[in-house]
């Protein structure tokens, strides 16, 4: 079965650079969630989209922005990168805003030097 | 406020022994509960979930969990662990009105020794 696809899988950036992470949900899934997992920490919710509209917002820095496109894929844009942004970024998808289960992608590991 | 607490950061256990990973939640609204497993350098894989109905839920790889509303717990159990079960286990909750964002516990590192 098709799963959530994230690209790139690994990314190395310098401080103050920008990064764009992409997420392709499971086919027919219309809801996308972004989570950030710092080293040795639990995943923290950043933001979610349902039917291309932002549905909820968590602890996402103002330097980050995200959107969901007409084909339901989502992109997380990160600017003015800081060392503390180094983390594993997960995307998850579900069918419907009220869906019970989120399916996670493999994550994008971002390293900021 | 809603929260999920995993009571043990690390659980060492010998192969073929039983194991219980503890999870408690705090919520004044209805909740869905999940256990995810994360192997080194990999993503999150759903082990099992409680949505409603039977309080004992069975998942993949021989794991099961029991939802206890009075104790606000959702402990994960396996009667006999294998070396391959060594991983990080996360308990997570989705709370009514939160548009299904997941709130994770801090994780429990299960280390199975031969």
């Amino acid at each position: 079965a098709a799963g959530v696809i994230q690209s790139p899988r690994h990314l190395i950036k310098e401080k103050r650079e920008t990064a764009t992470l992409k997420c392709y949900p499971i086919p027919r899934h219309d809801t996308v969630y972004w989570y950030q997992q710092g080293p040795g920490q639990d995943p923290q919710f950043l933001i979610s989209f349902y039917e291309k509209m932002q549905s909820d917002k968590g602890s996402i820095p103002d330097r980050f922005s995200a959107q969901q496109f007409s084909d339901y894929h989502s992109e997380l844009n990160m600017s003015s990168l800081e060392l503390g942004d180094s983390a594993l970024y997960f995307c998850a998808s579900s069918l419907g805003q009220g869906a019970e289960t989120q399916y996670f992608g493999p994550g994008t590991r971002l390293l900021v030097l | 406020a809603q929260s999920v607490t995993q009571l043990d950061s690390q659980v060492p256990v010998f192969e073929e022994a039983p194991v219980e990973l503890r999870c408690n939640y705090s919520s004044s609204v209805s909740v869905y509960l999940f256990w995810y497993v994360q192997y080194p350098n990999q993503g999150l894989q759903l082990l099992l979930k409680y949505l409603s109905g039977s309080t004992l839920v069975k998942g993949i790889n021989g794991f099961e969990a029991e939802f206890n509303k009075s104790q606000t717990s959702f402990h994960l159990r396996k009667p006999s662990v294998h070396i391959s079960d060594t991983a990080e286990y996360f308990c997570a909750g989705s709370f009514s009105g939160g548009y299904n964002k997941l709130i994770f516990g801090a994780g429990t590192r299960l280390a199975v020794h031969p």
Side-chain angles (χ1 to χ4, degrees), chain A residues 9 33 35 37 41-43 45 48 55-57 88 90 96-106 109, chain B residues 32 34 36 38 41-46 49 51 88 90 94 97-107:
Chain A
R9 292 292 310 279
Y33 310 81
Y35 294 86
Q37 185 181 26
Q41 299 186 9
D42 57 290
F45 171 73
S48 63
S55 54
D56 198 3
K57 191 172 181 180
L88 190 57
F90 287 113
Q97 192 173 11
E100 309 98 357
T101 305
Q102 296 176 28
Y103 297 89
F104 282 78
R109 187 170 295 279
Chain B
Y32 296 152
F34 306 82
Y36 285 88
Q38 185 177 33
N41 299 313
Q42 293 191 28
L44 296 166
Q45 181 181 4
L46 180 66
K49 59 186 177 183
L51 306 178
E88 189 84 19
F90 290 99
S94 174
Y99 293 99
N100 293 336
K101 67 181 179 187
L102 290 175
I103 296 176
F104 286 84

Side-chain angles (χ1 to χ4, degrees), chain A residues 68-85:
Chain A
Q68 186 179 33
F69 294 86
S70 57
D71 64 350
Y72 296 109
H73 93 274
S74 178
E75 295 184 4
L76 177 65
N77 299 292
M78 311 160 70
S79 63
S80 303
L81 287 169
E82 302 174 356
L83 297 179
D85 296 329

